[in-house]
Amino acid sequence: MSSPSFRTVLVFLACSIFALGGRHRGLALAQDQDDLFGAVVDPLWQKFEELPPKGKFATGAFAGFAATRIAVGTVTKTIKFAGAAFIASEVMNAAGVFDKIDIDISEEQSALLGRAKRRVTSTVNGFRQHVRQQLTPAKVQANIESALQKERMATIGAAAGAFAGCIL
């Protein structure tokens, strides 16, 4: 899927959300985040509920495909950037750029850096623990089974779209 056509679809969806009628007259009138979320999700969820099983499958397939393409593109770009940064740092090291680095840090700045390091380390560790708790095989299987019970066709469609997004 090429980027311009995907962007066109996103713009179309955004315009459709603004044009929705009903109890919400647009996103401009939403006062807080709950109203904003409700203004977007409620009408879309009502339309989704009205879809036949094949429509739910197609919606799930589109969502799975789009999410996978976005994720694969983002991961690919991140890996390319990290690789380029690593190569650049190795070239700079070989050229001796890092040999003459002299950084003067005051005690106040050192204490601030220490606090920042502890906060970042704590946050990363918390994220790591959360991921390890949520991505256990039993939890993943329970989430899939729950989704299959709630919206079987949309879940199967999302899996098919994600598969297609990975191989295309």
Side-chain angles (χ1 to χ4, degrees):
M1 176 179 262
S2 65
S3 293
S5 63
F6 183 71
R7 287 186 185 135
T8 303
V9 170
L10 288 178
V11 169
F12 173 76
L13 288 174
C15 291
S16 298
I17 290 169
F18 280 105
L20 287 174
R23 65 184 178 106
H24 298 287
R25 287 283 175 202
L27 298 178
L29 298 178
Q31 295 299 319
D32 61 349
Q33 194 169 10
D34 291 336
D35 287 344
L36 178 63
F37 185 76
V40 174
V41 173
D42 289 346
L44 292 176
W45 185 254
Q46 289 171 357
K47 292 293 184 183
F48 176 78
E49 287 293 320
E50 296 171 4
L51 290 174
K54 288 182 181 180
K56 290 181 179 184
F57 177 85
T59 303
F62 174 77
F65 181 83
T68 301
R69 293 306 299 163
I70 290 170
V72 167
T74 302
V75 169
T76 302
K77 288 178 184 176
T78 302
I79 291 171
K80 286 179 180 180
F81 178 78
F86 175 75
I87 291 169
S89 69
E90 286 297 314
V91 168
M92 291 171 69
N93 186 42
V97 173
F98 298 136
D99 293 341
K100 298 178 183 177
I101 295 178
D102 186 25
I103 301 174
D104 291 330
I105 297 176
S106 69
E107 288 184 28
E108 182 181 326
Q109 291 170 332
S110 180
L112 181 64
L113 287 174
R115 285 194 307 262
K117 179 181 176 184
R118 284 190 299 278
R119 181 171 286 161
V120 167
T121 303
S122 174
T123 302
V124 168
N125 188 42
F127 176 74
R128 179 191 64 82
Q129 289 175 346
H130 181 72
V131 168
R132 288 192 74 181
Q133 290 170 355
Q134 296 302 316
L135 289 182
T136 63
K139 277 238 178 175
V140 171
Q141 184 176 5
N143 287 339
I144 292 172
E145 288 174 2
S146 173
L148 283 170
Q149 288 175 355
K150 290 178 185 173
E151 287 294 342
R152 183 170 187 78
M153 292 305 288
T155 304
I156 293 170
F163 178 75
C166 283
I167 61 172
L168 295 179

